[in-house]
Amino acid sequence: MLKPLGDRVVLKAETEEEKTVGGIVLASNVKEKPTTGKVIAVGEGRTLDNGQKLTPAVKEGDRVLFDKYAGNEVEYNGEKYLVVHEKDLVAVID
Amino acid sequence: MLKPLGDRVVLKAETEEEKTVGGIVLASNVKEKPTTGKVIAVGEGRTLDNGQKLTPAVKEGDRVLFDKYAGNEVEYNGEKYLVVHEKDLVAVID
Amino acid sequence: MLKPLGDRVVLKAETEEEKTVGGIVLASNVKEKPTTGKVIAVGEGRTLDNGQKLTPAVKEGDRVLFDKYAGNEVEYNGEKYLVVHEKDLVAVID
Amino acid sequence: MLKPLGDRVVLKAETEEEKTVGGIVLASNVKEKPTTGKVIAVGEGRTLDNGQKLTPAVKEGDRVLFDKYAGNEVEYNGEKYLVVHEKDLVAVID
Amino acid sequence: MLKPLGDRVVLKAETEEEKTVGGIVLASNVKEKPTTGKVIAVGEGRTLDNGQKLTPAVKEGDRVLFDKYAGNEVEYNGEKYLVVHEKDLVAVID
Amino acid sequence: MLKPLGDRVVLKAETEEEKTVGGIVLASNVKEKPTTGKVIAVGEGRTLDNGQKLTPAVKEGDRVLFDKYAGNEVEYNGEKYLVVHEKDLVAVID
Amino acid sequence: MLKPLGDRVVLKAETEEEKTVGGIVLASNVKEKPTTGKVIAVGEGRTLDNGQKLTPAVKEGDRVLFDKYAGNEVEYNGEKYLVVHEKDLVAVID
């Protein structure tokens, strides 16, 4: 299992097809393209200057909109995942 | 539904026509062009260094002036929206 | 009405003619040219790291000296205004 | 009257002649040339992160050494002044 | 023994072969390539602004995913190690 | 008298000859060349975010090692001085 | 004696020969090359935002790994030393 560190979140990105059928579609002429995925694992959150841990606002299973160029792609047990910082998550899709 | 994260705000931008009829029109020779829109959804706000959440100063339904180049355009259920950071909102139009 | 957000201030810039007759004139060989205007509306101020709102030091009606290149020009009900951050205000002219 | 905002200070710069007769003369081969002036007006000072106002360390009438390239030149009632940030003041000349 | 200072962590990087057999494989067209290693030693952690030491979230023996371009390679008693900052560790692999 | 402001320190730089006879000599192939001087006057120190003044760690009469390219050269009553920030002082020479 | 200021540390760098015989050898194809030395003197440490002095984690006599390109080389009583910031020390070698 991948346990993200700090304010990182592990995502399973949705494919282009899913996106078009589902809710969010990117405007084609936008430079920074966000896209959608499902939250697989969430870190403990970043630590504030007063030592307090800031629990991330998303949880396992959430469907989220994120900045496409954010994060690192990794492959784990044959599946591709994306590890992003919480600040790169734009919105939860309900 | 789109639930913006952190200090993000979801906007429905007004079209050029609405703007000219309504109140705010941009001077044509200005480099950073703000424009107007309606607030659709508001995040929980950014977290201060002391752990306090800072509730955004705008609410659903507000008509706002924002920096045109700010944010990400997204399409949701066939409608286009703009997701911006609260700091990119310039003024509320009353 | 325009209600500026955060530490923003709405100004009505004075024309060149008013400036020469009035008090402040810019030296012509200065790169960053400040100029003068009247305060139309003032935001609630920026929020400090401890959550405290910092009320702006200027108020409606003040005549101020500001950085010419600061802010966004907007047109509202046929009048042009300038929206600047409080830090771009240089001095109050009494 | 010019009332500088924040940590700004209004100065009346001394002319080259005064400087040579007085105390401080700049070495000619120095890139950042400080120079001297008299303090005309002082702002309320910058606000610390804890909300405390930091009263400037100089007062009206002080003769100061400042960074020549700092600040904005303004003309007020036919006189030229310089508006600088307090941090651009190098030393008080006693 | 190498005792890393501050928020540094000493790692023993896994070879390409181990990675392919194990869990994580990098997508070949990704610019910032994270890779895997074992934690050998952990510093006392960074010091927050309030003076509190922030104990690192990883411990000796953890298998971690890290940014390939992070840190300094060192050789100690004939073995190569990598010294990275804790923030360059992406995830723990369980 | 020159009374440095904030965290500034007024130094009387030692000439090349003094340096070679005294203790510290710079390696000739080093890009950032520190050099030596005597402390003439010390500011009240920088103000921390909590409003506390941080008294400088050097005092009048100390012989110090400093970054050669730091600070502004000034001439006062026919003597050349250097005004540097305290952080540009490298070490006290005892 | 050299008394480093702030978070500075005075080091006596080990020569290439000592390094090869001792423990740490740098990989030749690494861009930022750390190297080893002995701690000669330690400053009082940096001051946190709350005014607290942060005592350095190394002490006189420690053998340390440091960033080769960090710090200033100085010569004192015929010996060459290196003055670095504590953050440029990578690890203590036990």
Side-chain angles (χ1 to χ4, degrees), chain B residues 9-27 32-40 61-70 73 80-84 88-94, chain C residues 1-3 5 72-77 83:
Chain B
V9 173
V10 176
L11 301 175
K12 181 72 189 159
E14 297 181 4
T15 64
E16 284 274 322
E17 284 71 32
E18 288 174 19
K19 279 195 309 177
T20 319
V21 175
I24 302 290
V25 186
L26 285 175
E32 279 186 55
K33 304 182 189 170
T35 187
T36 60
K38 183 160 284 186
V39 174
I40 302 299
D62 280 353
R63 196 165 160 240
V64 293
L65 184 67
F66 61 90
D67 254 300
K68 187 178 176 179
Y69 296 116
E73 247 183 74
K80 281 185 184 174
Y81 296 99
L82 197 69
V83 185
V84 304
D88 297 320
L89 299 180
V90 171
V92 173
I93 306 163
D94 236 0
Chain C
M1 213 184 85
L2 277 180
K3 295 201 300 193
L5 288 161
N72 291 314
E73 247 182 72
V74 297
E75 206 180 305
Y76 183 64
N77 288 339
V83 184

Side-chain angles (χ1 to χ4, degrees), chain C residues 5-6 8 14 36 47 50 54 56 65 69 80-81 91:
Chain C
L5 288 161
R8 289 180 178 85
E14 297 181 3
T36 59
T47 304
N50 63 4
L54 192 61
L65 184 67
Y69 296 115
K80 280 184 185 174
Y81 296 99

Side-chain angles (χ1 to χ4, degrees), chain E residues 34-61:
Chain E
T35 188
T36 58
K38 183 160 282 185
V39 174
I40 302 298
V42 176
E44 292 190 351
R46 67 180 174 98
T47 305
L48 297 173
D49 278 356
N50 62 6
Q52 187 187 331
K53 278 261 189 333
L54 192 60
T55 311
V58 296
K59 58 181 192 307
E60 227 186 285

Side-chain angles (χ1 to χ4, degrees), chain B residues 21-82:
Chain B
V21 175
I24 302 290
V25 186
L26 285 175
S28 57
N29 58 351
V30 176
K31 238 177 60 190
E32 279 186 55
K33 304 182 189 170
T35 187
T36 60
K38 183 160 284 186
V39 174
I40 302 299
V42 176
E44 292 191 349
R46 69 180 173 98
T47 304
L48 296 174
D49 278 355
N50 62 5
Q52 188 187 329
K53 278 260 187 334
L54 192 60
T55 311
V58 296
K59 59 182 189 309
E60 228 185 285
D62 280 353
R63 196 165 160 240
V64 293
L65 184 67
F66 61 90
D67 254 300
K68 187 178 176 179
Y69 296 116
N72 290 314
E73 247 183 74
V74 297
E75 205 178 305
Y76 182 64
N77 288 340
E79 293 269 344
K80 281 185 184 174
Y81 296 99
L82 197 69

